[in-house]
Amino acid sequence: MKKLINNLLYVSLFIVALSFTSCQEEFEEVGGDQQETLMADSNTADLIVKTSSNDGSFDNIVDGASCIAVKFPYTVDVGGIQITIDSREDLHLIEEIFDEFDDDEDILEFLFPITITLGDFTEIVIENEEQLSELAEECLEGGDDDDIECIDFVYPITLYTFDINEQQTGSVVIESDKDLRRFFDGLDDDDLIGIDFPITLKKYDGTEVVVENNAELARALEAAEDECDEDDDDDYNDDDFDEERFDFCLTECPWQVREVVRDEVNQTEQYLEYLMIFEEEGMVTVKDREGNVLNGEWSVRFTDHGPLLTLAFDVLVDFNLEWLVYEVGEHTIKLYAEGGNKIIMKQLCEDDDDDDGDDDDDDPNTLREILKECEWIIKKVKNQGEEIDRLLGYEFKFMAEGVVTLSNGITTSEGSWEIGFNSEQVLSLLITFGDEPAVNFEWPLRHLDDDRLKFEVEEVDYELVLQRVCDDNAGDGDVSEIRNIMLGGLWNVALLDDEGVDETDDYAGMDFGFSTFHQVEVSIDDDPITAGVWRVLRNADGNLKFYLNLGDDETFEDLTEAWYITEVSSDRIELVYEDEEINSKTLVFEKKP
């Protein structure tokens, strides 16, 4: 019935094709104006459907399912408190109530009936909890559902329809994901449609991508499928930890006891500031405030509700339970068990005052896990005193099984990596790339902090400095805004002051075009003369950085730096650079009129 209804809705827009006498290519050019088309059962059409599907993961706190969403408004009972939910912002009230009462009994009940929306925007009235649970169980947990959430269409979009003779029969203006999904649901597999290009896509970090044809659209949607964490787990308060990641987090640094409640009796004063150290072999030691060491064991198992951590001591009986790991994050772990039992601990790493003296910087597993957590941007690479500027801003991605990639946003090379100790027993990173010898080296680790790694051999003047970037700074509004400003047209050098010397005229007449995938092109009168890499990111100190790399061309060597952003507006950006020798430069771009 749904199929029939959709066909009736769009009968004025297209004629159903009954048959084809030969194989139809996914992309075709038809009609006198060479309009490019695609078939309704093509891979590109499937990607469009996935991207326009309704995402239900935002309200997992109420329905526990990422493939459905509860339609506003509705009323819930949270711990005896009735709340009417009118918007996404109201969902935070539920989480605040859950967090206010630190126990594992987060009870939420709907006041039925409610209406839910499926991925295809179909609405269903739910009369009771049993019906809701049956639908929720059909969802795929962990990001394996069909929808693509890391990129969105920017509307309006105009679509064209064609008949069996490949003649255009009509057009329709699409204003929303709902319109787009329902339009495609109303097509037969062999129907032809066309898209009025260019169209704009917006990525999860706010960056906008303009595509000019079907092929570019398919590439952009495919690239976005696994580009971000869709957070589809049926758990609002998790950190998406698998067993390996949880074990690493637990054993990474010591944990300081901040609160203990046992059988509803507050025991915090007795155990405050005890230090708990988890070891990978399942052993755990606790140091009391006098320095006495107490030994025990730990183990973990994973359930649908999260990790369950078992602690067993001969002496510290107040810790002996199987604890639900309710929350892990922001250097805090919260453990709960039925009957009024709670432990809250704070993680102490590196420069924290209560560190136990162990140096995790010398632990190969620690460095190995840190490298795999996020991407790493090349801030500096030096071979025998010569800086390799052409690699500035390139991205390392260290993966499992010893695989590492190096990318400038368009071209990606693959190599191998491993962690171990060199002949001087210094923890080192060994990188091997067949086509990039500048980074092929056994790099000894010299410095590690929140977002920066430094490898160096002073005797031969080899140095590698990497800047950590997680999810391309997704969620940083300033970074997204600056990227969008730079993507908004051509730019000219309004000032280059190199230690008091004005070099602005060296770049007169040059247009700088900043595009997606971290690409920048320099042209004169629309004739490209060079290209390179650009990035905007924020480091752990909170500073906004602008990486600009225009290769080995001497004309642009003074522009190739990791700049600090000092001022930015819709048509002007000011950058400054200082090196270890306090050499300073100022670079100003202004938007071309």
Side-chain angles (χ1 to χ4, degrees), residues 17 51 77 98 157 298 368 377 403:
T51 305
D77 186 300
F98 283 171
I157 296 173
W298 70 277
R368 189 176 293 114
I377 307 303
V403 176

Side-chain angles (χ1 to χ4, degrees), residues 206-398:
T207 302
E208 293 188 347
V209 180
V210 177
V211 295
E212 303 284 349
N213 52 53
N214 288 332
E216 289 185 9
L217 174 61
R219 284 196 295 269
L221 298 183
E222 285 179 337
E225 281 193 276
D226 300 313
E227 197 169 37
C228 68
D229 178 9
E230 295 185 348
D231 198 22
D232 281 332
D233 303 76
D234 299 341
D235 180 5
Y236 75 97
N237 200 25
D238 71 335
D239 290 276
D240 290 333
F241 280 175
D242 57 18
E243 185 170 358
E244 181 180 358
R245 180 68 185 96
F246 177 78
D247 288 355
F248 167 71
C249 181
L250 203 62
T251 59
E252 181 183 15
C253 301
W255 295 87
Q256 186 187 72
V257 175
R258 307 303 301 172
E259 184 176 354
V260 178
V261 177
R262 185 63 195 258
D263 298 329
E264 299 183 351
V265 177
N266 194 319
Q267 304 281 8
T268 302
E269 184 176 351
Q270 179 179 351
Y271 299 111
L272 184 65
E273 296 185 353
Y274 276 37
L275 209 61
M276 191 172 295
I277 305 163
F278 294 88
E279 300 176 11
E280 292 185 357
E281 296 78 14
M283 303 300 295
V284 57
T285 59
V286 173
K287 294 182 180 179
D288 64 19
R289 291 185 292 269
E290 287 73 38
N292 300 311
V293 176
L294 307 169
N295 296 313
E297 297 179 349
W298 70 277
S299 61
V300 64
R301 64 186 182 93
F302 283 76
T303 72
D304 292 339
H305 301 289
L308 293 175
L309 176 65
T310 298
L311 298 177
F313 294 90
D314 291 334
V315 177
L316 298 172
V317 293
D318 288 334
F319 290 75
N320 291 351
L321 269 179
E322 183 176 59
W323 302 88
L324 172 68
V325 182
Y326 176 76
E327 183 175 333
V328 180
E330 300 298 326
H331 304 293
T332 300
I333 187 169
K334 296 182 179 181
L335 311 177
Y336 297 95
E338 292 183 358
N341 299 286
K342 173 174 62 175
I343 298 176
I344 298 178
M345 295 187 289
K346 175 185 176 183
Q347 191 177 41
L348 301 178
C349 294
E350 296 182 4
D351 297 330
D352 293 322
D353 292 337
D354 297 282
D355 201 336
D356 68 332
D358 292 340
D359 188 2
D360 282 339
D361 290 2
D362 290 333
D363 182 1
N365 290 326
T366 298
L367 179 58
R368 189 176 293 114
E369 295 301 325
I370 287 173
L371 285 169
K372 290 191 294 185
E373 279 183 346
C374 299
E375 290 73 48
W376 294 87
I377 307 303
I378 294 180
K379 185 177 181 181
K380 179 191 291 186
V381 58
K382 187 188 295 185
N383 292 169
Q384 295 181 329
E386 179 184 357
E387 287 199 24
I388 314 299
D389 289 336
R390 61 182 173 80
L391 294 178
L392 179 70
Y394 276 53
E395 176 190 273
F396 277 119
K397 183 176 289 186
F398 297 91

Side-chain angles (χ1 to χ4, degrees), residues 378-379 392-393 467 533-535 537 545-548 561-562:
I378 294 180
K379 185 177 181 181
L392 179 70
Q467 174 80 46
V533 177
W534 73 290
R535 292 180 183 272
L537 55 86
K545 302 293 294 288
F546 193 113
Y547 282 66
L548 183 58
E561 304 288 3

Side-chain angles (χ1 to χ4, degrees), residues 154-218:
V154 177
Y155 298 100
I157 296 173
T158 299
L159 302 180
Y160 302 110
T161 56
F162 297 85
D163 63 16
I164 192 171
N165 297 315
E166 299 179 344
Q167 298 298 311
Q168 183 176 320
T169 60
S171 65
V172 59
V173 177
I174 302 297
E175 299 285 355
S176 65
D177 281 345
K178 182 178 180 179
D179 290 347
L180 187 58
R181 174 64 190 260
R182 287 190 168 180
F183 177 84
F184 272 84
D185 284 347
L187 298 174
D188 286 335
D189 289 346
D190 51 3
D191 282 336
L192 283 175
I193 65 165
I195 301 174
D196 186 14
F197 290 103
I199 64 172
T200 301
L201 305 169
K202 181 174 284 189
K203 299 172 67 176
Y204 64 98
D205 61 358
T207 302
E208 293 188 347
V209 180
V210 177
V211 295
E212 303 284 349
N213 52 53
N214 288 332
E216 289 185 9
L217 174 61

